[in-house]
Amino acid sequence: MNRILGNPYVLGGVALLFLSLLATTLYYRGNSIAAEAESARLTEQNRSLIATNAQNARNVERLLDQADISNKLQAELAEKLKEVAAATEDARRTIKEIRSNDPKADEYLGTDIPDSLLSVVNRPARH
């Protein structure tokens, strides 16, 4: 046994085997450390993306709520415009009927409006 351990080739082979095992261990340990660092980076990136996604979902909900409100207001405005158009048409028909049945009203409605009244008639409505 002493003869085998005393042989420089055997000792060199054992040392080479030991160094190979050490190098392989260090290589895999380095890969393990790199993988842990990459995993931590990806986990943090995932948390950031989840937070961004949650914020975007809240923004979409807010925009959908605003769109609903806008749609309701547009529907109400369209209804009011229909009412104004109907009232205007009714007034136009009534005036036409009055003009055709009453010559005095037709004569009155055919006169020019005085400038002092035009300034009031053309003034923008106040709310």
Side-chain angles (χ1 to χ4, degrees), residues 5-26:
L5 293 177
N7 187 338
Y9 293 111
V10 172
L11 286 177
V14 170
L16 187 58
L17 181 63
F18 176 75
L19 289 175
S20 296
L21 287 173
L22 180 64
T24 302
T25 302
L26 291 176

Side-chain angles (χ1 to χ4, degrees), residues 88-103:
T88 302
E89 181 60 26
D90 186 48
R92 189 191 64 74
R93 256 187 268 127
T94 302
I95 290 172
K96 184 177 180 182
E97 185 179 309
I98 290 171
R99 286 183 90 166
S100 65
N101 293 332
D102 186 352

